[in-house]
């Protein structure tokens, strides 16, 4: 009986410690999981192909083509001529091509992705790496097993400043407003003081 009492006393500190650790893990100050929101870069053969901007709309994520790197001969003003919805003939730069991604921790599901090359829309899901530095997007038809992954890499937040102002204004209006220079108040031109001409004195008749 004494042994049982001693055993309970020994277990008590460990139980208290476990409760303290559990409560600490539930506190709001804990580190948040990385988000897909931000700027991402797609690389092929060691060269950048495109930048993608992911925007968080209260837990629903949208992705846009934020920057392109056209090759010689490419049309810099290319549009999505094969799109069939509201994106028909929309410029490729700034095109919303990922929609309705719903966040669940590091995973994003039930979304869709547009292939601007043929205008087809596929089901899609994404996942962010635990360190937040890479984003894997998978587009598929039917089930996710029949799909293809693309992995993009996070760019620093400072890279947003190099985007086209129209893209920033469309997807990051708050940042666009902050980046605008303050309005300059022009001073009215100084009034020119008018001088009254003094008439020449009349000459006496003898001097005329």
């Amino acid at each position: 009986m004494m042994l049982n009492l001693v055993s309970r006393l020994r277990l008590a500190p460990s139980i208290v410690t476990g409760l303290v650790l559990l409560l600490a893990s539930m506190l709001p100050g804990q580190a948040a999981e990385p988000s897909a929101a931000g700027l991402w870069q797609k690389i092929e053969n060691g060269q950048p192909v495109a930048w993608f901007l992911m925007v968080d709309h209260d837990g629903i994520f949208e992705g846009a083509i934020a920057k392109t790197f056209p090759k010689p001969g490419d049309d810099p003003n290319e549009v999505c001529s094969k799109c069939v919805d509201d994106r028909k003939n929309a410029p490729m730069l700034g095109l919303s091509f990922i929609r309705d991604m719903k966040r669940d921790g590091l995973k994003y599901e039930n979304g869709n992705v547009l292939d601007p090359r043929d205008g087809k829309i596929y089901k899609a899901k994404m996942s962010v790496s635990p360190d937040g530095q890479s984003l894997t997007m998978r587009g598929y038809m039917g089930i996710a097993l029949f799909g293809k992954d693309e992995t993009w890499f996070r760019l620093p937040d400072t890279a947003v400043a190099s985007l086209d102002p129209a893209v920033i204004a469309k997807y990051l209006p708050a940042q666009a407003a902050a980046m605008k220079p303050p309005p300059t108040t022009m001073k009215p031109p100084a009034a020119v003081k008018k001088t009254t001409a003094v008439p020449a004195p009349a000459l006496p008749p003898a001097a005329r």
Side-chain angles (χ1 to χ4, degrees):
M1 191 169 191
M2 181 62 69
L3 289 175
N4 288 339
L5 179 60
V6 172
S7 299
R8 289 174 186 171
L9 290 174
R10 287 178 178 174
L11 285 173
S14 62
I15 293 172
V16 172
T17 302
L19 288 172
V20 170
L21 292 175
L22 178 61
L23 289 172
S25 67
M26 296 172 64
L27 292 176
Q30 63 181 327
E33 291 179 327
S35 167
L39 201 57
W40 302 88
Q41 179 173 235
K42 178 180 178 179
I43 298 176
E44 289 182 356
N45 301 321
Q47 298 295 323
V49 176
W51 289 5
F52 305 128
L53 179 64
M54 296 298 301
V55 184
D56 180 2
H57 302 295
D58 297 324
I60 306 297
F61 285 71
E62 178 183 14
I65 300 175
K67 189 172 185 178
T68 59
F69 298 84
K71 298 178 180 178
D74 289 348
D75 181 3
N77 300 312
E78 187 179 4
V79 299
C80 192
S81 59
K82 294 186 178 180
C83 290
V84 295
D85 55 11
D86 60 293
R87 294 166 282 196
K88 177 72 174 178
N89 292 327
M92 288 292 187
L93 183 62
L95 184 71
S96 169
F97 78 113
I98 292 178
R99 292 179 171 178
D100 300 329
M101 284 287 187
K102 298 172 182 63
R103 182 177 184 178
D104 181 12
L106 295 175
K107 296 180 180 179
Y108 301 77
E109 299 180 339
N110 301 319
N112 57 79
V113 59
L114 165 73
D115 187 343
R117 296 171 297 182
D118 56 17
K120 292 183 179 178
I121 299 174
Y122 300 89
K123 294 181 180 179
K125 63 179 184 176
M126 306 186 306
S127 61
V128 179
S129 62
D131 64 359
Q133 296 306 302
S134 63
L135 174 68
T136 300
M137 193 278 297
R138 185 174 185 84
Y140 58 94
M141 293 184 66
I143 59 175
L145 180 64
F146 303 108
K148 181 181 179 181
D149 286 348
E150 277 195 9
T151 300
W152 309 329
F153 303 94
R154 190 182 292 277
L155 290 165
D157 292 341
T158 53
V160 171
S162 67
L163 299 182
D164 188 288
V167 174
I168 301 176
K170 182 177 180 180
Y171 294 100
L172 302 170
Q175 292 192 31
M179 292 168 65
K180 286 183 179 179
T184 56
T185 54
M186 296 183 64
K187 294 182 179 180
V192 179
K193 190 174 182 179
K194 294 183 179 180
T195 57
T196 305
V198 179
L203 295 175
R208 292 179 185 176

